[in-house]
């Protein structure tokens, strides 16, 4: 086997290794992106939604209306 054939075989093997390395880097970047999006969505899940006083009053009024209807139904 001549030195040219050996060099060609080495170049071929290097090209394969570089392709594998590129694929692994893509997978790693995708995994990191998923971790980032998961952590940001986890941070969003931890934030609590707040009711405004007006919203709280609307809910209370609706509940009072339901209680009154239930009392009327119980008396009848």
């Amino acid at each position: 086997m001549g030195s040219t054939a050996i060099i060609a075989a080495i170049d071929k093997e290097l090209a394969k290794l570089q392709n594998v390395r590129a694929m692994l880097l893509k997978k790693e970047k995708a995994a990191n992106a998923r971790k980032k999006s998961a952590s940001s969505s986890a941070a969003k899940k931890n934030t609590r939604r707040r009711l405004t006083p007006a919203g709280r009053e609307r809910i209370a009024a609706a509940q009072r209306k339901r209680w009154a209807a239930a009392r009327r139904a119980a008396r009848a």
Side-chain angles (χ1 to χ4, degrees), residues 2-73:
S3 62
T4 349
I6 294 172
I7 291 173
I10 290 172
D11 287 340
K12 192 174 183 179
E13 191 65 30
L14 282 173
K16 283 183 186 178
L17 290 172
Q18 287 174 343
N19 286 338
V20 171
R21 181 179 185 273
M23 287 190 315
L24 289 173
L25 284 174
K26 284 181 185 177
K27 285 185 180 180
E28 186 176 322
K29 285 180 183 179
N32 286 341
R34 281 193 301 271
K35 285 181 186 176
K36 278 185 180 180
S37 67
S39 65
S40 66
S41 66
K44 289 179 185 176
K45 286 182 185 178
N46 291 338
T47 58
R48 293 191 55 167
R49 294 172 59 177
R50 307 285 181 196
L51 275 178
T52 63
R56 191 181 312 269
E57 183 55 40
R58 283 192 304 270
I59 291 171
Q63 187 61 45
R64 283 192 294 271
K65 186 177 177 180
R66 285 190 289 273
W67 287 336
R71 275 190 239 115
R72 279 194 303 266

